[in-house]
Amino acid sequence: MRKKEMMAMLLAGGQGSRLGVLTASKAKPAVAFGGKYRIIDFPMSNCVNSGIDTVGVLTQYRPLALNKHIGIGTPWDLDRKAGGASILAPYVKDGEKGQWYSGTADAIYQNIAYIDECNPKYVLILSGDHIYKMDYAAMLDYHKKNNCDVTIAVLEVTMEEASRFGIMNADENDKIYEFEEKPAEPKSNLASMGIYIFTWDVLRKALIEDSKIHPDSDFGKHIIPKMLDEGKTLYAYRFKDYWKDVGTIESYWQANMELIKTLPEFNLYEDFWKIYTNNDYQPPQYTGENASVKTSLISEGSLIYGTVENSVISKNVVIEEGAVVKDSIIMENCTIGANTVIERCIIDQDTKIGANIRMGVGENIVNELKPKIYNTGITVIGSNTVVPDNLTIGKNCVILGETTPDMYPDNKLESGKSVMIEEAIV
């Protein structure tokens, strides 16, 4: 078989637990972003824009939504007989019991046969849950120029932030001589982006050797330190454009809000580097006679009869007469009832919000069930939820499932409280 220059392996099996109910029924890479996209669209589009025509997508946690979205890779021109997009889930091997992917490197190790079949010289390892645009072909040129065994994409972060990342310590030529995983006292501010290019024969050998020692083999904890100890050639590739890890409710909300600026830092409109998605034809959006829309993204098929300000509205959303949506994210197929006011909320797909509701009001009291997730004043409504009429709902609240009026004493849900129907978490 003819050797392929580079293929990509996209790690998309993460739960994204810090996104709370937004990932109750789907993996983090399948969460909607920017009205019409999903998070995984960004690394997938980067691949096709970089000329990569073989992408293995490794799934694990609640993969149904992600699998349906990717399909056979048609939106990214990856529906090919040779190469293309392949969904790679854990599977039973040689009659033994199946084994979950237990580390980033272990996930690649379990798919060595797939990579060997593709026969690449280089393998690009990506995370499926970051928002950015990047030319991986330029990174490969850098890898070859420096005759690397491994090239690691890095961002310069503040020294105060550096302890949250894997940190590369490099010389004046950006050759890496030390790696520290979330150091308490970092020596540099070159933070790993979790994007690697490996020369395949070097990585293949390392994966096999490390699997015998660490069943939870991980690139940051095991493979990178192992290669440094063995004297392999590792270089840092500096990335200086927009990159966002939307790993928390606040960062997810903030990244969406950044898109509606007059001159957004992250541009979804340029033709040079398009972001592709699986988006069926939708009818045009409609704005009613008494509607008002200011500084917002409104997707196809939406019907706006009320007021929308500083918000991101996905496709097929209905905002009824007299309703007001401010500083919020409304995902696809949602209905916001008449005369309802929503402020600083995230409402997941296929949800019906009743009439005469005030949502996102009151004191900023952290959520009593999950204070580390819901603590910045954003109220989050999960997918396939029903919220009945005539309620007042506070900040940092969480609602999931087909709720009924009797679940809201005095027609209220105080700030920091939750209503979650267990059967809705499937």
Side-chain angles (χ1 to χ4, degrees), residues 246-264:
V246 288
T248 66
I249 291 294
E250 175 68 20
S251 65
Y252 174 81
W253 179 85
Q254 186 63 48
N256 274 273
M257 293 300 106
E258 288 172 355
L259 297 175
I260 63 178
K261 295 178 181 177
T262 304
L263 294 173

Side-chain angles (χ1 to χ4, degrees), residues 2-162:
R2 177 178 172 273
K3 184 173 282 291
K4 183 181 292 291
E5 184 169 46
M6 185 164 74
M7 64 172 294
M9 295 290 280
L10 205 164
L11 301 167
Q15 177 180 356
S17 57
R18 292 179 300 162
L19 287 178
V21 294
L22 298 182
T23 55
S25 61
K26 54 185 172 289
K28 180 181 172 184
V31 172
F33 183 84
K36 65 184 293 184
Y37 304 100
R38 295 181 187 252
I39 294 172
I40 199 170
D41 291 337
F42 296 88
M44 290 284 286
S45 297
N46 288 339
C47 284
V48 69
N49 288 328
S50 301
I52 297 171
D53 62 8
T54 302
V55 181
V57 183
L58 287 74
T59 62
Q60 182 158 281
Y61 173 80
R62 298 194 183 277
L64 179 59
L66 193 60
N67 292 352
K68 289 173 65 177
H69 180 69
I70 294 172
I72 59 173
T74 302
W76 305 273
D77 192 29
L78 291 172
D79 49 340
R80 304 176 180 219
K81 290 183 179 179
S86 300
I87 303 293
L88 304 171
Y91 62 96
V92 175
K93 305 164 189 71
D94 301 323
E96 300 174 358
K97 292 182 178 179
Q99 181 180 338
W100 294 114
Y101 299 143
S102 53
T104 54
D106 176 65
I108 304 301
Y109 167 74
Q110 291 196 43
N111 287 283
I112 282 179
Y114 167 75
I115 300 173
D116 282 344
E117 184 177 313
C118 296
N119 196 27
K121 186 172 182 180
Y122 307 104
V123 174
L124 170 68
I125 309 296
L126 303 171
S127 172
D129 53 9
H130 298 142
I131 307 297
Y132 66 109
K133 296 179 181 180
M134 184 176 185
D135 185 356
Y136 305 132
M139 184 176 173
L140 178 60
D141 290 342
Y142 179 87
H143 180 88
K144 292 190 288 187
K145 175 184 175 183
N146 290 290
N147 196 26
C148 295
D149 296 304
V150 189
T151 299
I152 302 171
V154 298
L155 279 172
E156 292 186 15
V157 298
T158 65
M159 292 302 290
E160 291 74 22
E161 292 178 294

Side-chain angles (χ1 to χ4, degrees), residues 310-420:
N310 302 314
S311 295
V312 176
I313 309 298
S314 293
K315 62 184 181 182
N316 297 329
V317 169
V318 178
I319 297 177
E320 295 183 352
E321 190 89 23
V324 178
V325 176
K326 292 183 178 180
D327 304 315
S328 295
I329 302 165
I330 314 296
M331 299 188 199
E332 62 185 86
N333 302 322
C334 290
T335 299
I336 310 300
N339 302 312
T340 283
V341 178
I342 291 175
E343 297 186 45
R344 199 173 161 84
C345 296
I346 300 173
I347 299 178
D348 207 347
Q349 63 189 54
D350 301 304
T351 287
K352 181 175 176 55
I353 306 297
N356 302 307
I357 292 173
R358 298 293 180 271
M359 183 182 294
V361 298
E363 295 183 70
N364 187 15
I365 300 172
V366 301
N367 188 267
E368 60 183 9
L369 295 181
K370 295 190 175 181
K372 293 182 178 180
I373 295 178
Y374 310 104
N375 54 32
T376 59
I378 300 170
T379 283
V380 183
I381 314 299
S383 62
N384 295 286
T385 291
V386 174
V387 179
D389 301 339
N390 304 314
L391 300 177
T392 300
I393 297 169
K395 299 180 184 292
N396 296 315
C397 292
V398 183
I399 304 174
L400 179 65
E402 295 190 19
T403 64
T404 54
D406 59 287
M407 298 177 181
Y408 302 87
D410 300 320
N411 293 329
K412 291 183 180 180
L413 186 64
E414 302 288 353
S415 292
K417 301 291 185 179
S418 303
V419 177
M420 300 181 69

